[in-house]
């Protein structure tokens, strides 16, 4: 079965600093990968999704970028964080089965 | 635009009573339909899905959901609520196209009182 690792679990960063959140997947190959942001403990906003290495689709123009350097690695980045980037970031994976599986999330606080 | 609506921010129910969490969607074609649950500061856990066939699908922890094509709804139900069911519930759809997007509703907080 698929296992999704996200780290770190929590992160406090100053405004203007860079960001790198990593998501890795075990137990499957060639998965579809997703980054979501959840603000204020409610709705999920799809940020990026990827159907293969180097293939990134961006859903919402913003201060973030994503990369997929390896089949089971998905990275969310920013060059300069804004206060509005604070939130709970979730990585998800889907392969063969129609449902997606989620990591445990990273809570980012920009101060 | 494709969207998922969960009209209730919060649903309150007494333990032992039946519960319903509502979901409607606006997606062309016949999308895949899902329910997820989220406990505080955790990722989402998959509960159940509708792909095709019987309109009533059964999932984890005694939950079930009823698909209604004419009303484009996929309401989550449970015959007898538990206090431990208190959590945030998300409905999601994935269109049967090549975009591979998974679109979520805004979530409904379920509070089960003892």
């Amino acid at each position: 079965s698929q296992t999704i690792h996200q780290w770190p679990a929590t992160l406090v960063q100053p405004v203007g600093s860079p960001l790198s959140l990593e998501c890795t997947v075990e137990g499957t190959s060639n998965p579809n990968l997703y980054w979501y942001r959840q603000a204020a403990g409610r709705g999920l906003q799809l940020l990026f999704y990827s159907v293969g290495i180097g293939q990134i689709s961006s859903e919402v123009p913003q201060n973030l970028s994503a990369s997929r350097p390896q089949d089971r690695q998905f990275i969310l980045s920013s060059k300069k964080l804004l206060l509005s980037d604070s939130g709970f970031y979730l990585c998800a994976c889907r392969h063969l089965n129609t449902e997606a599986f989620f990591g445990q999330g990273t809570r980012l606080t920009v101060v | 635009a494709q969207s998922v609506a969960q009209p209730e921010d919060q649903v309150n129910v007494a333990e032992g009573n039946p519960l319903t969490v509502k979901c409607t969607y606006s997606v062309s074609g016949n999308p895949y339909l899902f329910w997820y649950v989220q406990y505080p500061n955790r990722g989402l856990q998959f509960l159940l899905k509708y792909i095709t066939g019987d309109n009533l699908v059964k999932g984890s922890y005694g939950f079930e959901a009823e698909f209604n094509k004419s009303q484009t709804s996929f309401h989550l139900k449970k015959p007898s609520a538990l206090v431990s069911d208190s959590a945030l519930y998300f409905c999601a759809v994935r269109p049967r196209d090549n975009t591979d997007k998974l679109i979520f509703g805004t979530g409904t907080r379920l509070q089960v009182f003892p």
Side-chain angles (χ1 to χ4, degrees):
Chain A
S1 63
Q2 301 161 35
T3 304
I4 302 167
H5 300 282
Q6 272 189 256
W7 66 91
T10 59
L11 188 60
V12 180
Q13 291 283 100
V15 169
S17 64
L19 173 73
S20 181
L21 300 182
E22 188 162 345
C23 170
T24 59
V25 179
E26 292 180 358
T28 186
S29 59
N30 196 29
N32 295 334
L33 298 173
Y34 308 82
W35 277 112
Y36 286 88
R37 177 169 60 201
Q38 185 178 27
R42 293 309 297 266
L44 291 167
Q45 180 185 35
L46 178 61
L47 302 176
F48 302 95
Y49 67 99
S50 171
V51 298
I53 296 174
Q55 300 179 62
I56 308 295
S57 296
S58 175
E59 284 298 293
V60 182
Q62 54 201 315
N63 188 41
L64 300 168
S65 62
S67 62
R68 186 170 176 176
Q70 299 181 45
D71 180 44
R72 290 173 287 180
Q73 184 185 30
F74 203 25
I75 298 172
L76 184 69
S77 304
S78 173
K79 293 181 179 179
K80 289 185 177 181
L81 283 169
L82 305 172
L83 287 174
S84 58
D85 292 325
S86 294
F88 192 48
Y89 289 83
L90 290 160
C91 178
C93 164
R94 190 183 71 81
H95 180 59
L96 295 180
N97 294 329
T98 55
E99 64 268 26
F101 293 90
F102 283 78
Q104 292 303 300
T106 295
R107 182 161 302 284
L108 171 66
T109 303
V110 183
V111 296
Chain B
Q2 299 170 331
S3 64
V4 178
Q6 293 182 241
E8 304 153 315
D9 284 345
Q10 181 156 329
V11 170
N12 299 317
V13 64
E15 187 174 33
N17 283 1
L19 69 87
T20 299
V21 182
K22 297 179 181 177
C23 172
T24 59
Y25 60 91
S26 177
V27 176
S28 60
N30 299 308
Y32 301 106
L33 303 166
F34 308 89
W35 275 100
Y36 287 83
V37 60
Q38 185 182 32
Y39 296 97
N41 296 311
R42 303 298 298 272
L44 276 67
Q45 296 178 29
F46 168 73
L47 277 180
L48 50 79
K49 64 184 176 185
Y50 175 81
I51 306 301
T52 187
D54 193 351
N55 289 345
L56 185 66
V57 295
K58 295 186 183 297
S60 306
Y61 312 119
F63 284 94
E64 56 191 28
E66 187 169 13
F67 168 61
N68 187 315
K69 186 174 181 178
S70 63
Q71 297 183 5
T72 61
S73 67
F74 190 53
H75 300 332
L76 182 70
K77 300 181 179 183
K78 187 173 182 180
S80 179
L82 300 172
V83 172
S84 58
D85 292 331
S86 299
L88 188 56
Y89 289 81
F90 288 96
C91 180
V93 303
R94 185 166 74 84
R96 296 187 195 236
D97 56 19
N98 60 358
T99 63
D100 205 50
K101 293 181 184 180
L102 186 58
I103 304 164
F104 282 84
T106 52
T108 298
R109 190 167 302 281
L110 173 66
Q111 189 70 49
V112 182
F113 295 95

